[in-house]
Amino acid sequence: MSRIPQTFIDELLARADIVELVSSRVPLKKQGREYTACCPFHAEKTPSFYVTPQKQFYHCFGCGAHGTAIGFLMAHDNMNFVEAIEELAHRTGMEVPREHGPGRREMAQQQRLLAAQEAAARFFTDNLRRHPAAMDYLRQRGVNEAMIQTYGLGFAPDGRDHLIRALSDQFQPQELVTAGLAGQRDMAPPYDRFRGRIMFPIRNHRGQVTGFGGRLLEPGEPKYLNTPETPVFHKRHLLYGLYEARKAAPRLEELLVVEGYLDVIALAQFGLPNAVATLGTATNRDHLERMFRVVSRLVFCFDGDRAGREAAWRALEQALPLMRDGRQIRVLFLPDGDDPDTLVRRAGADALIQHMDQAQPLSDMFMDGLRQRYDITSREGRAALGAQAQRLLRDMPGGLLRAQLINELARLTQVSPEQMAQGLESDLPPATPAPRSVAAMPLPSRQQRLVLTPVRLALSVILDQPALAQEVGDTHWLRELDTPGVQVLVQVLETLAQHPHLTTAGILERWRDSETGPHLLKLAQWRSPDDTPEAAPRLLRDALASLRRKHVEQRTTALLHKADQASLTDHEKAELKALLSSRSTIAPLTDGPN
């Protein structure tokens, strides 16, 4: 991939509001200069998760999670670095630029493919009103004009190459084949993939059309056809209607997961714009993670027949490994013969909401499903139930929900909770280290204090107030100092000299993947017990004075040692004289480690 310029990341973090970002996923409460919450990364009853607006930084004194807005998105929403940058840029209204690099050609191709999808969407939209049969079908299904525009519905004419010819002045036929808009058999000329179909544009999280779903207007097979996998379209990662849902309600609290495109549209038309649908595939972990990045509560709609209940159980198996405390899933089984579209049109939105209120929690469905599948009146049946439950819960995150299920399963299978929990731990692979973005290194509790050497104190003050770096002045003597961590201090000061507007978050992100990064993250938590305006500059001056004294001592010792072995140059004699006279003018910070 081509690189995202560092200057853009700096500007993005300067504009981002970490309080707004975190509060969209975790309820925060103001406490002095900070905001607090129960940590979203581990189970706790007393809040130990702090967000500091001044530093644009979060940290948990319980589990050690800490970082910037980018790190929060990576840890909480399970995004990679580039996805986190793009999401944060989208929230702040910025466009992510790219530097030329190894991925330049790939990026150019992706831009062409996205441009082709947008051009095709305009073509389909223009054609909808030119085909009365397509408009009649949508009217029969009850789709109004507002929904046609909101979801960008269109129509693909029934012909071999209408789209290819319409876009021929912009795109070569082979580009449309790569984009999944055209097909080709052997050496025959390419043909339109979508023909005689109502078209449903499918958008990514940035609102870009990446592909389409098409429904045949006339009888035939397949009734629904999706864009094939392309460099910009991946069915496993996309949800129909998610972009429109977020646009309609930026602070979504719950998503309703349905089966069809028209279910999504019908619910939005009746005042429920928070519905999404998978693209003709079963719900998988990628889908679930995408939704949990937006909300903490999901409601799944399934048919009440046997097939619907089996589909619900498969969704449960995908969901359990993601069910950390704070996330909720409920399952709604619809009345026989109904789907969300028919139910909301027949009985209204209130009726569907009543059904949703009665939806079964995932944990209840889990226990009920096990009881139905196994004979709990026999020892053998209870053992089989326990073994299956252990298999399903093995990858579930630790927390209160998992503990409750273990206790209930223990009672059901007539074993102790310890025996049930022990079975979950057997045959597990070795534990892998926690991602750096979640817990780069253990942090002290709020009652513990870092041993603040002068270097650490200087770094902590600068991370707290980066603008103070401009008052440090010449740092050439620091480069000569032999004491742990001083070179990191020099690098941070030099970086701020070149980029004086860097924020705390900007500094931390520049060292994200280095060995120094975790140490800077740890120091960024420090806060002076004295909140007065003059405290931070005074502490920085004291720290630098102590380091200056250490430098004088080291340099004086080195010159005196050389004088014992050989003659000093005139320059060195003058330097030694100046050093000896300066000893009394540099006040030490305190006695202690350097």
Side-chain angles (χ1 to χ4, degrees), residues 279-547:
L279 309 183
T281 62
T283 303
N284 58 54
R285 293 187 191 182
D286 290 327
H287 292 139
L288 290 162
E289 281 290 8
R290 293 276 170 179
M291 289 184 280
F292 277 134
R293 292 174 188 176
V294 180
V295 298
S296 60
R297 303 200 311 266
L298 307 177
V299 179
F300 280 85
C301 280
F302 291 102
D303 292 339
D305 57 16
R306 176 170 180 157
R309 293 186 178 275
E310 288 301 320
W313 188 259
R314 290 193 296 273
L316 176 146
E317 293 179 322
Q318 294 293 310
L320 283 174
L322 307 178
M323 290 301 294
R324 62 172 178 244
D325 291 345
R327 291 179 171 180
Q328 299 177 34
I329 292 180
R330 292 179 295 139
V331 181
L332 168 62
F333 292 105
L334 295 171
D336 289 344
D338 266 325
D339 56 33
D341 182 4
T342 59
L343 177 61
V344 76
R345 294 186 187 282
R346 175 175 56 80
D350 290 342
L352 181 59
I353 291 172
Q354 288 179 1
H355 282 290
M356 290 170 60
D357 291 340
Q358 298 167 7
Q360 186 179 36
L362 188 77
S363 56
D364 289 354
M365 192 184 83
F366 173 71
M367 297 301 302
D368 291 347
L370 290 173
R371 291 189 186 96
Q372 294 167 9
R373 284 167 167 76
Y374 297 94
D375 176 15
I376 60 174
T377 63
S378 69
R379 297 182 183 88
E380 291 81 1
R382 290 194 296 271
L385 182 153
Q388 173 70 347
Q390 288 172 337
R391 182 187 70 81
L392 292 171
L393 292 183
R394 187 160 289 163
D395 294 331
M396 186 177 178
L400 298 177
L401 178 59
R402 188 174 189 255
Q404 292 177 71
L405 290 174
I406 289 173
N407 289 338
E408 192 167 345
L409 287 165
R411 289 192 296 269
L412 188 63
T413 55
Q414 298 181 16
V415 300
S416 70
E418 292 75 20
Q419 287 174 307
M420 179 60 66
Q422 185 178 8
L424 294 174
E425 304 302 325
S426 63
D427 300 322
L428 287 179
T432 54
R436 176 173 295 179
S437 57
V438 178
M441 62 189 303
L443 300 185
S445 70
R446 212 164 175 78
Q447 288 71 37
Q448 294 173 322
R449 295 186 63 188
L450 284 170
V451 178
L452 282 180
T453 65
V455 169
R456 289 175 179 169
L457 179 59
L459 280 167
S460 297
V461 172
I462 290 169
L463 287 169
D464 186 57
Q465 298 186 36
L468 291 177
Q470 305 308 311
E471 301 180 14
V472 172
D474 185 18
T475 58
H476 73 278
W477 58 274
L478 275 172
R479 299 191 196 96
E480 301 172 355
L481 185 59
D482 181 17
T483 195
V486 73
Q487 295 308 315
V488 176
L489 175 59
V490 170
Q491 291 170 7
V492 171
L493 289 171
E494 290 179 345
T495 299
L496 286 168
Q498 297 174 8
H499 307 280
H501 300 297
L502 269 183
T503 62
T504 303
I507 298 169
L508 296 175
E509 283 300 331
R510 282 176 174 256
W511 271 269
R512 164 181 288 279
D513 295 321
S514 70
E515 293 182 2
T516 302
H519 301 286
L520 292 180
L521 283 166
K522 187 174 181 179
L523 292 172
Q525 299 171 43
W526 176 84
R527 265 186 59 185
S528 170
D530 184 351
D531 279 344
T532 59
E534 63 273 9
R538 174 176 52 78
L539 287 170
L540 181 59
R541 287 194 299 270
D542 287 347
L544 291 172
S546 183
L547 291 173

Side-chain angles (χ1 to χ4, degrees), residues 19 28-37 49-53:
V19 173
L28 294 175
K29 183 178 180 180
K30 198 170 191 320
Q31 183 174 317
R33 293 199 309 169
E34 297 178 306
Y35 291 79
T36 65
F49 182 82
Y50 286 74
V51 180
T52 308

Side-chain angles (χ1 to χ4, degrees), residues 92-113:
T92 55
M94 299 175 70
E95 188 71 26
V96 181
R98 305 279 180 167
E99 290 179 349
H100 297 334
R104 181 182 179 185
R105 181 177 299 175
E106 291 79 1
M107 284 298 301
Q109 183 197 39
Q110 288 192 8
Q111 293 302 318
R112 287 288 292 173
L113 294 179

Side-chain angles (χ1 to χ4, degrees), residues 19-232:
V19 173
E20 181 184 3
L21 171 66
V22 175
S23 65
S24 69
R25 288 146 170 84
V26 181
L28 294 175
K29 183 178 180 180
K30 198 170 191 320
Q31 183 174 317
R33 293 199 309 169
E34 297 178 306
Y35 291 79
T36 65
C38 287
C39 180
F41 302 116
H42 80 287
E44 62 176 4
K45 296 180 180 179
T46 304
S48 61
F49 182 82
Y50 286 74
V51 180
T52 308
Q54 177 189 347
K55 300 179 184 179
Q56 290 294 298
F57 178 79
Y58 73 91
H59 57 279
C60 175
F61 288 96
C63 70
H66 52 265
T68 65
I70 295 172
F72 182 81
L73 285 171
M74 293 175 68
H76 187 273
D77 290 9
N78 197 30
M79 294 183 177
N80 61 38
F81 181 76
V82 174
E83 287 176 330
I85 291 289
E86 291 178 341
E87 173 65 16
L88 203 58
H90 179 70
R91 292 178 65 91
T92 55
M94 299 175 70
E95 188 71 26
V96 181
R98 305 279 180 167
E99 290 179 349
H100 297 334
R104 181 182 179 185
R105 181 177 299 175
E106 291 79 1
M107 284 298 301
Q109 183 197 39
Q110 288 192 8
Q111 293 302 318
R112 287 288 292 173
L113 294 179
L114 290 171
Q117 304 294 343
E118 294 287 353
R122 291 191 294 271
F123 172 79
F124 296 141
T125 300
D126 291 343
N127 272 280
L128 178 62
R129 286 163 183 79
R130 298 173 185 169
H131 290 77
M135 289 296 296
D136 288 345
Y137 172 81
L138 292 176
R139 292 192 189 99
Q140 291 168 10
R141 294 298 301 262
V143 181
N144 64 23
E145 183 64 31
M147 291 299 101
I148 290 174
Q149 294 185 18
T150 297
Y151 288 89
L153 304 187
F155 182 71
D158 190 6
R160 179 178 175 83
D161 59 359
H162 286 296
L163 178 66
I164 293 174
R165 285 188 285 110
L167 303 186
S168 61
D169 59 336
Q170 299 172 260
F171 302 95
Q172 296 296 321
Q174 285 303 320
E175 288 184 291
L176 300 183
V177 172
T178 304
L181 294 166
Q184 188 173 27
R185 296 187 182 92
D186 299 326
M187 300 301 292
Y191 58 88
D192 288 354
R193 179 176 295 276
F194 298 101
R195 293 175 286 181
R197 294 178 181 271
I198 301 289
M199 299 300 292
F200 301 85
I202 299 165
R203 303 178 189 276
N204 62 17
H205 67 283
R206 301 178 66 185
Q208 298 167 310
V209 178
T210 61
F212 295 88
R215 189 201 187 281
L216 270 178
L217 195 57
E218 302 294 337
E221 293 294 336
K223 180 186 290 186
Y224 280 93
L225 181 67
N226 284 325
T227 298
E229 293 289 306
T230 74
V232 298

